[in-house]
Amino acid sequence: MEIVGIVAEFDPFHRGHACLLRQVRDAFPGCAIAVAMSGSFTQRGSPAAVSKQDRAEMAMTCGANLVLLLPVTFACASAERFARGGVALLRRVGVTVLAFGSECGDLTRLQRAADALETEDYRRQLREELAGGRSFAAARERAVAKLIGEDAQVLRQPNDLLAVEYLRALRGTGIRPFPVRRQGAAHDSGALEGEVVSASALRGLLYQGQFRAAAEKMPAAAGELLLRCAGEGRLPADLNRCDRAVLAALRRATPEDFARLPDVSEGLEHRLYRAAREAVSPEDFCRRAKTKRYAYARLRRILLYCWLGVTREDCPAEPAFVQALALDEGGRPLLRRLRGQDGPPLIVRPAEGKRLTGLAGEQFRLENRADDLWGLCLPEPLRGGWSCLEGLRRAER
């Protein structure tokens, strides 16, 4: 039996995600689908608008068999680290195929770009392009274009770029890639027309309080869950509700503190320190720290690292524990594979995490702290954080 893995945020789960799961089922009849999903914070450098438990349940209603937590040190990270963390988790449950969305859907072009990024010629060209004052994204594409020509254009689109990083992460694992061409609106499009709208557009509706309009643009079962969340006051989480708390963390930080954060190098800590002294909001901080070299998403992640208390020492090469958020009967055999294996400990019930020691225990406590702070981003702050309230979701289908 094929075990197909997907790495995702599902914030929120939309029709494009449902289409991906359907295409996986069509291509691999009888397969089990395991998802490595971001927790309370996301790659774009912001809180997930919908809780991890509710997003896991949405995925289960639309065809997933098992949802695993992608810890915050991988979920709120660069595309490379996001992909490597997700693949490492899915490899633990025996995934044989990795499915992912892509704007181009052309495995040959994506693989050429992935292979180019592994070469010394690329690294040399990148240094030269960066020395010319270009942004990292522009320098990377130009460096790859010198090696493979116009196929380097796949690095321009967010899903294609992430697909390239998945292919790099799959090297040596034996897991086969299964690209699926993205359907509907573009990744960051705010358009609400058409059958498939982006997660960005749906989050926009959530932030405006238009919950029913968002639900109507989602798969029916996921939309019903969204409306239940809205009725219970559980969305959306919005960092704007914690502006002063975030600014307080930034203003407490010294240049040495900033230097210890992930993604901070080349003297950026001094620019961050100056921005923190002058900024009157998190967005103002990012604007003041922005240069051609550093993208807004990277600066937003750095801001979150400071608030969450994440340092480079908190970022292992692979997740230090495996936590199941939701499963059904099709997912149970995947978890059984982890029992008795060497490697990261498995957590099925949140209480099990309290017994973890060493790096796994430190990572689990960091995850709980992230959940606690995420709970402050809701319309009504949660008491004791979200992770204390909800455990594993089981789907009976």
Side-chain angles (χ1 to χ4, degrees), residues 38 102 317 344:
S38 302
S102 160

mmCIF file of all heavy atoms in Angstrom, residues 38 102 317 344:
data_model
loop_
_atom_site.group_PDB
_atom_site.id
_atom_site.type_symbol
_atom_site.label_atom_id
_atom_site.label_comp_id
_atom_site.label_asym_id
_atom_site.label_seq_id
_atom_site.Cartn_x
_atom_site.Cartn_y
_atom_site.Cartn_z
ATOM 1 N N SER A 38 1.524 22.663 9.857
ATOM 2 C CA SER A 38 1.982 23.717 10.761
ATOM 3 C C SER A 38 1.091 23.822 11.979
ATOM 4 O O SER A 38 -0.121 23.600 11.904
ATOM 5 C CB SER A 38 1.983 25.070 10.033
ATOM 6 O OG SER A 38 2.805 25.025 8.887
ATOM 7 N N SER A 102 2.018 22.776 -7.269
ATOM 8 C CA SER A 102 3.033 23.486 -8.035
ATOM 9 C C SER A 102 2.345 24.312 -9.112
ATOM 10 O O SER A 102 1.394 23.840 -9.739
ATOM 11 C CB SER A 102 4.002 22.478 -8.667
ATOM 12 O OG SER A 102 4.706 23.035 -9.759
ATOM 13 N N ALA A 317 18.127 19.971 13.489
ATOM 14 C CA ALA A 317 18.061 19.655 12.064
ATOM 15 C C ALA A 317 16.752 18.965 11.703
ATOM 16 O O ALA A 317 16.247 19.122 10.585
ATOM 17 C CB ALA A 317 19.243 18.774 11.666
ATOM 18 N N PRO A 344 12.762 10.119 17.225
ATOM 19 C CA PRO A 344 11.968 11.040 18.053
ATOM 20 C C PRO A 344 10.810 10.331 18.732
ATOM 21 O O PRO A 344 10.156 9.479 18.131
ATOM 22 C CB PRO A 344 11.457 12.078 17.035
ATOM 23 C CG PRO A 344 12.366 11.964 15.868
ATOM 24 C CD PRO A 344 12.801 10.546 15.813
#
